[in-house]
Amino acid sequence: MTETLFLSSDDIAGLATPAEYVDAVRDGYRQRGEGAPAEPRTALYGDDPPGLFTSYTAILPETGVMGGYMYSAGFGAGDAWFVTPLFDADSGAPIALIDGASLNPFKTGAAGAVGVDALARPDATAVGLFGSGAQARGQLRAIDAVRDIETVWVYSPTKENRESFAGEMDRRLDASVAAVSSSAAAVEGADIVVTATNSPEPVFDGDLLEPGTHVTAMGQYHPEKRELDDRAVERATYVVDLRGRLTQDAGSYLHAVESGAIDEDHCHAELGDVVAGKAEGRTDEDEITVFDSGGTGIETAAAASLVYEKASDAGLGKTIDFAPASDALTGRE
């Protein structure tokens, strides 16, 4: 039998800072840029009841782990459950099983922040944020770890939600965080624009992006849904987390190709290539950049390894036993 550490959401809550998540995820993308295996998600959609069942995985050889996510969202309960298995990359043995819900905004936010660090101007101080939920919170906290943010303008359709979110984050961050009443107001003057929404349609006019803006789009991973319009994609140096998504679920990119706004070779690079120095990031102050982040096993495995190590050091969690196939794969009862 192999002892595997089970970690609940309570076990991992507060174990790592946003900056630590960013460092771990940045290193994961560097490994990807140097050849680490990773594949886009497999998404299965239920109709009755409606829901999403999805998974994605990666191997991080230098970190010494492999893992990813499997989760369901919707269906009859109208809720979501996130399961994160983590394996030793040398032995192949399972080393952790994590209830990954509380991990999600931090690892996803860290991926966005790695994109910001690689592509946004070093002097970026103003953020336009679309969304007022957990993912928006994770994105903003992680960005604050890589840039000296001074001003944040938050827009989401429901006034009460954006104002409550702005008040909470204004108290948490050193930056001034305020709600605005239109998408145009969120984009105006922003050095960094982040879309963390569930909108199936573009959330701002791409013509409004000012020279030098960086955009992180992370709320959609469906071929028929998009947070960015064709102009935003067309005007930008476009970077994706995994190239496999370009023909699978990068909705903004797929729509821009189908409309003729861009060619199929418009994508500049994977984020890992930029982090590893295999491809250029930003080349001038006026360049508009986009990082399309759909969620991968890279940030998931990196973040899971981080909290696993911290939990092990702190004596958290409980062990469960897994039987190796050499013992259990017998065909007998």
Side-chain angles (χ1 to χ4, degrees):
M1 305 294 282
T2 296
E3 286 193 349
T4 302
L5 188 65
F6 174 74
L7 297 171
S8 69
S9 278
D10 286 342
D11 289 329
I12 65 175
L15 272 184
T17 66
E20 288 174 319
Y21 279 110
V22 172
D23 287 344
V25 170
R26 182 189 291 109
D27 190 63
Y29 272 98
R30 177 193 58 77
Q31 292 177 59
R32 168 60 184 173
E34 294 174 353
E39 291 292 336
R41 73 176 65 234
T42 298
L44 304 178
Y45 293 92
D47 295 324
D48 186 20
L52 166 68
F53 184 55
T54 187
S55 64
Y56 45 77
T57 55
I59 300 175
L60 301 179
E62 293 182 36
T63 305
V65 300
M66 48 192 180
Y69 253 163
M70 178 175 285
Y71 66 87
S72 67
F75 297 100
D79 213 316
W81 285 266
F82 296 80
V83 180
T84 306
L86 192 66
F87 296 78
D88 185 282
D90 293 321
S91 70
I95 55 176
L97 183 64
I98 302 172
D99 177 357
S102 65
L103 182 71
N104 190 283
F106 293 97
K107 65 94 180 177
T108 308
V114 172
V116 166
D117 204 27
L119 298 168
R121 298 195 321 270
D123 63 350
T125 60
V127 176
L129 178 63
F130 289 81
S132 54
Q135 297 293 0
R137 188 178 293 111
Q139 292 291 319
L140 190 53
R141 292 188 64 190
I143 291 171
D144 192 53
V146 298
R147 289 294 184 272
D148 293 325
I149 300 303
E150 297 178 358
T151 307
V152 181
W153 297 286
V154 180
Y155 177 74
S156 65
T158 304
K159 180 180 179 181
E160 293 79 6
N161 290 349
R162 65 184 183 243
E163 289 183 346
S164 174
F165 178 92
E168 173 196 344
M169 299 309 293
D170 187 66
R171 292 186 294 272
R172 179 181 288 272
L173 304 179
D174 290 336
S176 172
V177 185
V180 293
S181 59
S182 70
S183 63
V187 174
E188 183 179 2
D191 304 314
I192 300 165
V193 173
V194 178
T195 60
T197 78
N198 60 6
S199 174
E201 298 295 335
V203 296
F204 65 86
D205 182 348
D207 279 320
L208 297 178
L209 291 172
E210 298 182 5
T213 304
H214 168 73
V215 181
T216 293
M218 58 70 55
Q220 286 294 358
Y221 40 87
H222 188 286
E224 298 175 3
K225 299 178 181 180
R226 57 189 182 128
E227 293 178 299
L228 306 183
D229 65 10
D230 292 351
R231 276 296 283 159
V233 177
E234 179 186 12
R235 296 180 66 196
T237 298
Y238 179 94
V239 174
V240 70
D241 43 17
L242 289 174
R243 282 190 180 273
R245 294 190 51 237
L246 299 178
T247 57
Q248 180 171 308
D249 63 13
S252 297
Y253 193 87
L254 286 165
H255 191 281
V257 170
E258 291 168 4
S259 72
I262 61 171
D263 296 327
E264 291 183 357
D265 61 355
H266 181 73
C267 180
H268 171 64
E270 284 191 4
L271 179 62
D273 294 329
V274 178
V275 174
K278 301 291 183 66
E280 285 189 307
R282 172 175 294 275
T283 58
D284 65 68
E285 290 187 355
D286 291 335
E287 185 177 8
I288 294 173
T289 56
V290 163
F291 171 47
D292 190 327
S293 175
T296 76
I298 301 165
E299 60 260 28
T300 307
S305 178
L306 172 67
V307 297
Y308 165 70
E309 294 292 345
K310 284 182 171 288
S312 297
D313 290 345
L316 298 173
K318 61 183 180 181
T319 59
I320 55 178
D321 290 331
F322 275 84
S326 58
D327 290 342
L329 190 63
T330 65
R332 298 188 294 271
E333 293 182 357

